[in-house]
């Protein structure tokens, strides 16, 4: 194997989600610990070369670069999440085997930014970076805001290596046409969708069976359950970190606003937060804060988040927002007798109403400073092949958003990935990209204040006022 650098587990670190979150990500299929907060890279990169400028022309025809055309060193940087490092090592080795002229230098670490940021500041960029939006470091968002990404639209037109289908045809509907993968609203794809997972509310099936409780299907039933559980010393709700409220917030917002107004909200539409539907969102979250296990905010950080997840395994809290990676993450944790993982979409706002589940997906992208863009694009196209997808699924349990994958899943994975077949509405989008706004981020505005709502340090009114003020600033800085 010609892998030159694999930094898999050389650093002492806690288990790695973004989600990019849910993982919030935590909206993130990584865990909060992966969202360490190193100094954000200065992403001033050289202008993209002629190959990038000619993307539109290249995208007009379906192409597959032959192995003989792809040469040189390919630098791949990937965050290590709960899926582990082995799958990336194996995928890179398989790509090398299919492309003898390429040497892959793989950098993988739970705290990826700590490794690649100093190198990028000196002008040495990876060719490909697997890091989702929503991470606490804001690395990916910084590259987006600085317009330092390579246009990957032509990758969608490439034939998947070894197959007879283009990348764009193989990716599931909705995973490319959204505000995350097309952050500038210009119809061009700059981030490619990777591992995905439905996000919703996890709970202990055994607890419901033992107590004779019914799963709530509406928020009114949720409050009734909360009151019932409180009498037995059990809290209704907890969360790993406030970052996990990204997936929760988007799903709830879609339920209350509906599809059209939801899109307005994602672009910080003027007056959108004054609507009765938006107020319903805020009221539900504020009320849920009063039903949240009191110790949650104190442990809602990168070091202690497992303590909050443990509350569900110990039957001290009923529900928590998360992604299916939590099952592997807590595989060795103690649990209550009869514990069995359960998973459901958010309750509906009213009887018979929409029940939504946010689908978190990670993203892979190329910085404009990438030196081997031809090999980088060929590598990204390869990631959607059956061969690569099988490696990801078998080695790490990571599922690519491509045709045919759900049929290959077994056990619990079939349950989680079939939630949309059971009527849940899939929500994919996120807040629109803006130019940098000093002192304002969507995470700090919309999600982090949840801790203060639970602790009582901030009122619902103060939180909503902050959202309105910051939305005015973000709307003025929109890139679309």
């Amino acid at each position: 194997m010609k892998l030159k650098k694999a930094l898999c587990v050389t650093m002492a670190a806690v288990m790695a989600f973004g989600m990019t979150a849910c993982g919030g990500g935590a909206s993130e299929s990584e865990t909060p610990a992966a969202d360490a907060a190193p100094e954000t890279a200065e992403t001033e990169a050289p202008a993209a070369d002629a190959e990038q400028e000619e993307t539109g022309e290249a995208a007009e025809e379906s192409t597959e670069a032959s192995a003989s055309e792809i040469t040189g060193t390919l630098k791949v940087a990937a965050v290590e999440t709960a899926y582990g490092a082995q799958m990336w090592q194996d995928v890179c080795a398989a790509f090398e085997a299919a492309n003898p002229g390429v040497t892959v230098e793989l950098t993988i670490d739970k705290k990826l930014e700590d490794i690649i940021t100093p190198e990028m500041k000196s002008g040495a960029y990876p060719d490909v970076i697997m890091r989702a939006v929503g991470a606490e470091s804001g690395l990916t968002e910084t590259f987006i805001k600085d317009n330092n990404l390579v246009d990957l639209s032509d990758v969608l037109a490439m034939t998947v290596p070894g197959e007879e289908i283009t990348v764009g045809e193989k990716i599931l509907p909705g995973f490319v046409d959204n505000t995350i993968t097309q952050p500038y609203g210009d119809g061009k794809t700059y981030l490619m969708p990777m591992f995905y997972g439905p996000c919703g509310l996890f709970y202990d099936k055994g607890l419901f069976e033992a107590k004779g409780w019914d799963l709530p299907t509406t928020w009114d039933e949720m409050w009734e359950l909360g009151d019932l559980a409180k009498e037995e010393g059990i809290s209704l709700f907890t969360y790993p970190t406030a970052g996990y409220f990204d997936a929760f917030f988007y799903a709830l917002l879609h339920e209350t606003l509906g599809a059209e107004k939801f899109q307005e909200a994602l672009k910080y539409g003027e007056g959108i937060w004054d609507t009765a539907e938006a107020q319903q969102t805020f009221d539900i979250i504020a009320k849920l804060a009063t039903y949240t296990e009191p110790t949650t905010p104190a442990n809602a950080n990168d070091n202690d988040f497992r303590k909050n997840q443990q509350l569900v395994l110990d039957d001290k809290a009923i529900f928590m927002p998360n992604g299916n990676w939590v099952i592997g993450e807590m595989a060795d944790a103690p649990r209550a007798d009869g514990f069995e993982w359960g998973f459901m979409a958010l309750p509906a706002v009213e009887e018979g109403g929409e029940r939504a589940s946010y689908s978190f997906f990670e993203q892979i992208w190329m910085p404009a400073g990438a030196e081997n863009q031809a090999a980088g694009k060929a590598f990204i196209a390869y990631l959607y092949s059956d061969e690569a997808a099988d490696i990801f699924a078998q080695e790490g349990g990571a599922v690519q958003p491509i045709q045919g994958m759900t049929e290959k899943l077994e056990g619990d994975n079939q349950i989680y990935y079939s939630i949309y077949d059971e009527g849940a509405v899939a929500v994919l989008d996120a807040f629109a990209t803006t130019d940098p706004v000093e002192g304002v981020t969507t995470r700090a505005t919309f999600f982090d204040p949840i801790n203060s709502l639970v602790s009582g340090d901030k009122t619902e009114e103060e939180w909503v006022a902050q959202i309105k003020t910051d939305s005015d600033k973000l709307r003025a800085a929109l890139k679309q």
Side-chain angles (χ1 to χ4, degrees), residues 87 90-99 160-163 170 381-395 400 402 405 408:
M87 64 179 192
D90 291 350
V91 162
C92 289
F95 181 76
E96 283 185 333
N99 298 273
V160 176
E163 301 177 18
K170 194 167 185 181
Y382 169 74
L383 298 181
Y384 300 97
S385 67
D386 287 346
E387 180 180 67
D390 287 344
I391 292 173
F392 285 134
Q394 293 169 12
E395 291 288 348
Q400 287 284 67
I402 59 176
M405 279 305 296
K408 300 179 180 181

Side-chain angles (χ1 to χ4, degrees), residues 5 8 37 40 58 80 86 98 141 178 192 237 241 294 322 332 335 350-351 358 360 389 405 426 455 459 478:
K5 183 165 65 172
C8 318
T40 303
E80 182 186 348
Q86 188 63 49
E141 286 86 344
N178 57 70
M192 293 289 288
F237 193 72
T241 71
N322 220 311
D332 298 327
R335 58 203 62 208
E350 57 187 22
E351 187 71 33
Y358 190 82
F360 172 79
M405 279 305 296
S455 66
T459 66
L478 276 171

Side-chain angles (χ1 to χ4, degrees), residues 334-353:
R335 58 203 62 208
D337 292 340
F339 181 92
E340 182 182 356
W341 285 110
F343 176 70
M344 73 175 197
L346 267 60
V349 173
E350 57 187 22
E351 187 71 33

